[in-house]
Amino acid sequence: MEHITLLLGIVIVTALVFDFTNGFHDTANAMATTISTGALKPKTAVAMSAVLNLVGAFLSVEVAKTISGGIVNEDGLKTEVIFAALVGAILWNLLTWLVGLPSSSSHALFGGLIGAAVMSMGWSSIDGGTVVTKILIPAIAAPLVAGIAATLATRLTYRIGRNTDTKATAKGYRTGQIASAGLVSLAHGTNDAQKTMGIITLALITGGVLNPGANPPMWVIVSAGVAIALGTYLGGWRIIRTMGKGLTDLAPQQGFAAQTSAATAILASSHIGFSLSTTQVCSGAVMGAGLGRKGGVVRWSTATRMFVAWGLTLPAAGLVGAGAEFLTKQGPWGVAATAALLIGGSAVIWVLSRRNAVDHTNVADDEIRGASEAEPAGVVTTAMAAVTPPPTGSAVTASDVDLVKATIPAPTGTVADPARPATV
């Protein structure tokens, strides 16, 4: 670690701060369904996820190499550009966390990096082929693949257990959920922790500390793994609520199917160096599991807000990154102004979040509503629920009976209200 300048040191610290926000922003990926179904207590779940994220950070460096040597041209890239990119990514992460939307930390980082690089060196600095093949295509394909896999796995699970008692099998599926949640956490460490490793390595290359094409040093791997583990342990409770309660209501069988499908997709992508969004993969799997259960529906109002956030992440983080780079180009005062913007914006978002706090004590409460409040079912959802029979073992409530009675006209000679005796 020789010849690390003050600016390079600031960039490294800022990258680790991003890694920290990535951790608490993405805790929901592994643990939202486990917490919502009661398989694990909230604090136990995030502690287990933190440890496995740390372990996963040491298993591969393929994604880190994609970021440090694939997206932008290293020739002429300045350290200030990376600092500006991180500012864009952190502010977008915090904003989406505030409103409880599971957007992509990965795409926030990519967007900030692309926007800052374009502002600094123009569009020629971006490797369009790498962006398309290793970012955009996985962004579309991965959640679809995970969602379809989760739908099929859920239907298979219910078919296999159709002749068994639902309550008797729920305990076994909760145990399976713990194992599959651990696998998702491990997979998250192999993919998301490496993004920060890649950005720090890129900063070290631009600062002349490492040669182009070098692998992340061990101290970079350790620090990135520890930062994302600490963020994971704090828990992004707002986003956990959205994924666990806001998108759909999951039974243990569905949670197990969703997490297993997501972990498989993430691990396969990490192996081949695809820097996909683990948030999008896990969200797609949750929605797929919701649709795979008879009578299960997805709250499309929440899903639509989430889709909009996905689409906005790259350009929004890119605009903030470009604006931050415009400031840093002005010299030392511009770098200071950018740092002040980051600190001030983060402080404002934190203060706003305290107005309606969500933590481990109320994350699974149905009656408490925050930014991720699930809206009433729409016309499509109501229709699907009406024509699709519920799974075996589900209870029929009095409100369901009243709804059916209200929609069937009483025959001639009878009364619609059975509580009132008929008159002759």
Side-chain angles (χ1 to χ4, degrees):
M1 263 195 319
E2 58 181 357
H3 191 56
I4 292 184
T5 63
L6 176 61
L7 179 58
L8 185 54
I10 293 173
V11 170
I12 293 172
V13 172
T14 307
L16 293 176
V17 170
F18 166 77
D19 205 23
F20 180 83
T21 66
N22 192 165
F24 74 71
H25 200 281
D26 288 3
T27 308
N29 295 345
M31 293 302 168
T33 57
T34 305
I35 293 172
S36 67
T37 61
L40 282 176
K41 298 291 185 182
K43 292 297 286 185
T44 304
V46 296
M48 185 183 85
S49 182
V51 172
L52 290 172
N53 262 290
L54 179 60
V55 174
F58 292 90
L59 297 184
S60 173
V61 294
E62 292 302 317
V63 175
K65 289 163 65 177
T66 296
I67 294 174
S68 64
I71 297 176
V72 299
N73 184 3
E74 300 167 3
D75 297 334
L77 186 66
K78 297 180 180 179
T79 308
E80 292 91 334
V81 175
I82 301 174
F83 177 56
L86 290 167
V87 170
I90 292 172
L91 289 178
W92 183 255
N93 263 2
L94 292 177
L95 182 62
T96 51
W97 164 77
L98 176 66
V99 297
L101 287 177
S103 69
S104 170
S105 298
S106 307
H107 288 181
L109 178 59
F110 300 147
L113 184 59
I114 292 170
V118 169
M119 174 60 70
S120 176
M121 301 178 291
W123 287 102
S124 61
S125 63
I126 306 301
D127 187 339
T130 300
V131 171
V132 171
T133 58
K134 292 201 172 184
I135 297 178
L136 297 182
I137 291 178
I140 298 172
L144 288 176
V145 170
I148 293 172
T151 300
L152 297 176
T154 300
R155 291 182 177 178
L156 178 62
T157 298
Y158 275 108
R159 179 174 293 275
I160 292 174
R162 65 184 181 275
N163 295 324
T164 61
D165 181 64
T166 303
K167 293 183 179 179
T169 58
K171 183 176 180 181
Y173 279 112
R174 286 194 177 97
T175 302
Q177 265 195 283
I178 295 173
S180 60
L183 189 60
V184 172
S185 297
L186 191 70
H188 185 266
T190 66
N191 202 284
D192 277 45
Q194 289 187 53
K195 291 158 189 171
T196 300
M197 296 178 205
I199 207 73
I200 294 177
T201 303
L202 183 60
L204 293 173
I205 292 172
T206 61
V209 178
L210 294 177
N211 295 322
N215 287 335
M218 180 55 66
W219 67 268
V220 172
I221 296 175
V222 172
S223 58
V226 170
I228 200 170
L230 289 175
T232 302
Y233 180 70
L234 284 185
W237 304 112
R238 293 171 179 271
I239 300 174
I240 288 176
R241 167 170 291 176
T242 298
M243 288 189 68
K245 295 285 186 180
L247 279 176
T248 185
D249 296 317
L250 295 180
Q253 294 92 324
Q254 294 167 280
F256 174 73
Q259 289 171 324
T260 304
S261 302
T264 302
I266 296 169
L267 287 172
S269 298
S270 296
H271 178 69
I272 58 180
F274 280 174
S275 185
L276 52 72
S277 167
T278 55
T279 300
Q280 293 179 0
V281 172
C282 293
S283 299
V286 168
M287 287 187 285
L291 294 174
R293 173 179 176 265
K294 287 184 179 180
V297 293
V298 171
R299 296 182 180 94
W300 294 110
S301 56
T302 301
T304 300
R305 293 198 304 271
M306 186 176 66
F307 294 152
V308 170
W310 289 1
L312 289 176
T313 295
L314 268 171
L319 287 174
V320 178
E325 170 57 15
F326 178 79
L327 281 176
T328 60
K329 288 170 65 175
Q330 310 307 313
W333 73 266
V335 175
T338 303
L341 173 68
L342 174 60
I343 296 171
S346 301
V348 169
I349 293 173
W350 173 257
V351 171
L352 292 175
S353 73
R354 295 301 89 196
R355 294 182 178 179
N356 188 13
V358 180
D359 56 26
H360 69 280
T361 63
N362 61 16
V363 66
D365 293 349
D366 291 325
E367 67 273 11
I368 297 177
R369 299 300 184 199
S372 61
E373 179 178 4
E375 294 186 5
V379 175
V380 175
T381 297
T382 304
M384 290 176 63
V387 301
T388 308
T392 304
S394 62
V396 178
T397 64
S399 61
D400 296 331
V401 176
D402 292 339
L403 178 61
V404 172
K405 290 189 296 184
T407 57
I408 302 176
T412 305
T414 64
V415 294
D417 185 359
R420 182 180 301 172
T423 57
V424 179

